[in-house]
Amino acid sequence: MHIDLKSMSRKELEKHLKDVKKALQAAQARDRREAQKAAEKAAAEFGYSLNELTADSPVLGKSLKKRSKKPKSPSIARFANPSDKTQTWTGKGRQPNWYREAVASGTSPDELRI
């Protein structure tokens, strides 16, 4: 069935739109009923009713208890620049230039330790 939408008036188009929306709602309700019947049948194969499986079970993908996020404490500095003690490094992440230069010049990393 082909409907020529270009030749229809606005009122005719609005009527068709209303009819389509009603048909969509009916189709969704029908699909929901069929899905529920299929779920009930699958649960019955394992000896359960659908209500038994869905009543007390948590929603999939969500935990029952929310974890509280604790603020992270700052890392402790483990290395210090021998020429400027205010420049420190925790030993994590990218090495600072002063650390790389000191190690390249022959200073052992243990000597830079705080």
Side-chain angles (χ1 to χ4, degrees), residues 51-111:
N51 289 337
E52 288 176 322
L53 295 177
T54 59
D56 295 331
S57 65
V59 177
L60 294 177
K62 294 185 178 181
S63 63
L64 291 175
K65 200 165 66 171
K66 290 185 179 179
R67 294 182 184 174
S68 62
K69 288 190 175 184
K70 296 178 183 176
K72 291 185 177 181
S73 59
S75 298
I76 300 169
R78 294 202 170 97
F79 301 95
N81 186 351
S83 60
D84 183 5
K85 296 292 181 183
T86 62
Q87 293 179 336
T88 60
W89 179 48
T90 62
K92 298 177 184 177
R94 198 171 146 189
Q95 295 175 344
N97 291 335
W98 60 263
Y99 181 84
R100 275 190 269 131
E101 291 168 1
V103 171
S105 67
T107 307
S108 113
D110 290 335
E111 292 176 27

Side-chain angles (χ1 to χ4, degrees), residues 2 5 7 23 30 36 39 44 46 50-51 58 84 86 89 99 106:
H2 179 71
L5 299 176
S7 64
R30 183 180 58 245
Q36 187 165 2
F46 290 95
L50 190 57
N51 289 337
D84 183 5
T86 62
W89 179 48
Y99 181 84

